[in-house]
């Protein structure tokens, strides 16, 4: 499989390493200072760039009929436009706030726990996320996905960074040097707390998930998520 890497920072390099180990070829390493030359040679593109570049990268791939896997966060105000473009071009597009297998299992656990806890109003939920200091978006896309999973299974309707109301979830976003990503969900009451937590030890899990998603999307048309890739959707 020939892969175009859109974004060649730490994640792009981690994806390259995993892709090469699985027998794939890198035909484009796109940075902010280079062109899209080589994109047409690709079977699939993987975007881990920056929020300001993501929409351009996704659009370029869909216009070129290149399946695109996007793990860049912080641009989702334009997500619906990309879905419309993908459908118009009969293309293939996967967006994921996090491609780690463990995190996607964590998403499922979060939704199950939220549904169960919705019956017990004495508990107030909070989300904490910790990332490296180079991460541009606050809170993380993963934390927002966690919050949305709770919204879909409880009375909560919104997230805030501070001073939450009764129907809002506080996301405590921290930036600490050399932390790949830690997310925890805590239900607090006056008498006890219940917590689930995911801790990434390195970037390899994110990179492997992105490459697996790229392998999966070949030959498919439509808009997908990691639930589709990992077959986590209910029967």
């Amino acid at each position: 499989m020939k892969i175009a890497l859109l974004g060649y920072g730490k994640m792009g390099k981690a994806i390259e390493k995993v892709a090469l180990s699985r027998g794939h070829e890198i035909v484009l390493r796109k940075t902010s200072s280079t062109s899209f030359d080589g994109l047409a040679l690709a079977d699939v593109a993987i975007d881990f760039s920056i929020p300001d570049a993501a929409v351009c990268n996704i659009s370029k791939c869909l216009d070129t009929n290149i399946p695109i896997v996007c793990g860049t966060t912080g641009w989702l105000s334009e997500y619906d436009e990309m879905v419309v473009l993908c459908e118009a071009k009969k293309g293939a597009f996967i967006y994921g706030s996090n491609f780690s297998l463990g995190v996607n299992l964590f998403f499922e656990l979060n939704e199950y726990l939220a549904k169960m806890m919705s019956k017990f109003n004495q508990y107030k939920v909070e989300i904490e996320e910790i990332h490296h200091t180079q991460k541009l978006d606050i809170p993380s896309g993963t934390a927002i996905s966690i919050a949305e999973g709770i919204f879909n299974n409880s009375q909560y309707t919104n997230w805030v960074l501070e001073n939450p109301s009764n129907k809002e979830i506080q996301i405590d976003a921290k930036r600490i040097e050399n932390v790949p990503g830690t997310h925890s969900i805590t239900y607090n009451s006056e008498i006890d707390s219940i917590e689930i937590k995911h801790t990434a030890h390195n970037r390899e899990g994110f990179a492997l998930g992105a490459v697996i998603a790229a392998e999966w999307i070949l030959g498919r048309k439509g808009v997908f998520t990691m639930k589709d890739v990992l077959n986590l959707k209910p029967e």
Side-chain angles (χ1 to χ4, degrees):
M1 185 170 71
K2 296 180 178 180
I3 300 174
L5 293 178
L6 308 182
Y8 196 57
K10 291 179 180 178
M11 269 303 303
K13 291 179 174 66
I15 291 167
E16 178 180 44
K17 182 178 178 181
V18 171
L20 293 175
S21 74
R22 293 171 72 89
H24 303 309
E25 178 185 354
I26 308 302
V27 295
L28 171 62
R29 297 167 180 85
K30 175 78 172 68
T31 69
S32 60
S33 60
T34 61
S35 72
F36 284 98
D37 287 349
L39 180 63
L41 300 174
D43 298 311
V44 64
I46 301 177
D47 177 277
F48 273 81
S49 55
I50 59 174
D52 289 346
V55 171
C56 174
N57 290 344
I58 296 164
S59 300
K60 182 71 173 179
C61 289
L62 294 174
D63 286 337
T64 315
N65 197 30
I66 304 293
I68 171 73
V69 173
C70 177
T72 305
T73 59
W75 62 274
L76 288 187
S77 60
E78 298 175 83
Y79 174 79
D80 289 343
E81 295 176 30
M82 295 300 97
V83 169
V84 170
L85 179 61
C86 181
E87 292 172 346
K89 296 291 183 177
K90 295 182 172 54
F93 172 42
I94 294 175
Y95 166 73
S97 61
N98 196 307
F99 281 89
S100 160
L101 170 60
V103 166
N104 280 277
L105 295 173
F106 188 65
F107 286 157
E108 297 299 303
L109 181 59
N110 169 56
E111 292 185 16
Y112 183 83
L113 181 59
K115 188 181 299 183
M116 185 165 54
M117 295 303 293
S118 66
K119 303 172 186 177
F120 303 98
N121 294 329
Q122 66 267 41
Y123 288 90
K124 178 72 175 176
V125 66
E126 298 175 357
I127 298 169
E128 179 186 73
E129 61 101 341
I130 308 171
H131 280 89
H132 51 86
T133 53
Q134 288 77 40
K135 187 166 181 61
L136 299 179
D137 52 323
I138 295 178
S140 68
T142 300
I144 293 172
S145 293
I146 290 168
E148 290 172 344
I150 297 172
F151 300 159
N152 294 335
N153 294 280
S154 71
Q155 78 279 12
Y156 291 100
T157 59
N158 190 31
W159 62 265
V160 294
L161 292 174
E162 56 185 9
N163 302 320
S165 69
N166 285 336
K167 290 193 175 183
E168 293 178 328
I169 300 171
Q170 180 171 342
I171 299 178
D172 184 11
K174 299 177 179 177
R175 296 293 174 264
I176 299 174
E177 195 71 32
N178 298 322
V179 177
T182 300
H183 296 84
S184 61
I185 305 150
T186 305
Y187 288 84
N188 287 309
S189 76
E190 291 184 0
I191 60 172
D192 60 9
S193 298
I194 300 169
E195 179 183 27
I196 58 173
K197 182 177 183 179
H198 179 272
T199 302
H201 300 307
N202 53 54
R203 290 182 173 83
E204 186 174 339
F206 311 127
L208 176 60
V211 174
I212 288 172
E215 293 168 347
W216 182 90
I217 203 173
L218 284 181
R220 289 182 163 89
K221 301 293 183 184
V223 178
F224 306 101
T225 70
M226 282 299 283
K227 282 181 180 282
D228 300 296
V229 176
L230 300 176
N231 196 27
L232 294 174
K233 290 193 170 183
E235 296 293 337

